[in-house]
Amino acid sequence: MATNGSGDEARSGGSAAPSERATVRRLADRAHALGRWLKPRLADLFKHVPGSPGIDVRGIGLMWGLAVSSSDGSNATQRVIDAVMRLLKRGIIVLPEGEFSDVLSLTPPLTISRDRLEAAIHAIHEELLHPA
């Protein structure tokens, strides 16, 4: 075995054991399937509603960004940061991304259940479009 520089042992030759490859493959397939399920739900939830911020949904698999713009076209940095803070208090980990922190980044764990993902996207919708 060789080390990877951090003191951890790494397999020589960089190859993973067959069971590890199978696990990685299952997780990748699961992320792809959840992404296909998630895409239309996000698109439907964040259709533009007059007077509300515009939200551009983009992503693949379980890596999504919700680019937020204000109804007047100005950047929505504060709206995103406020939503991130409220969501963290609700136990949902999302991050502000983008040059102006106007993109809400959603990257759930690959093992998330569909029910938890559904609950999270509804909470995100609530916090972005109908903040308390």
Side-chain angles (χ1 to χ4, degrees):
M1 298 263 180
T3 62
N4 62 11
S6 66
D8 297 333
E9 292 184 350
R11 292 188 186 346
S12 53
S15 63
S19 64
E20 290 173 0
R21 286 194 302 270
T23 298
V24 168
R25 180 84 237 141
R26 279 192 305 275
L27 287 172
D29 289 346
R30 187 171 191 288
H32 182 71
L34 278 174
R36 283 193 324 263
W37 171 84
L38 185 57
K39 184 176 185 175
R41 281 159 183 77
L42 287 173
D44 188 51
L45 271 176
F46 292 105
K47 285 181 189 169
H48 184 69
V49 177
S52 68
I55 298 177
D56 180 28
V57 177
R58 44 191 156 175
I60 190 167
L62 287 177
M63 296 177 65
W64 290 88
L66 306 173
V68 180
S69 60
S70 296
S71 54
D72 65 1
S74 63
N75 94 25
T77 300
Q78 196 59 52
R79 179 180 288 271
V80 170
I81 290 171
D82 291 346
V84 166
M85 298 307 293
R86 288 189 304 271
L87 287 160
L88 284 171
K89 289 177 183 175
R90 293 174 71 169
I92 298 168
I93 301 171
V94 292
L95 296 171
E97 299 286 348
E99 182 179 358
F100 301 106
S101 297
D102 57 353
V103 177
L104 189 141
S105 173
L106 172 65
T107 54
L110 298 176
T111 56
I112 193 168
S113 71
R114 191 177 283 190
D115 289 343
R116 292 195 116 187
L117 189 54
E118 182 83 38
I121 64 172
H122 284 285
I124 291 167
H125 178 265
E126 185 178 302
E127 295 298 349
L128 280 176
L129 296 182
H130 311 289

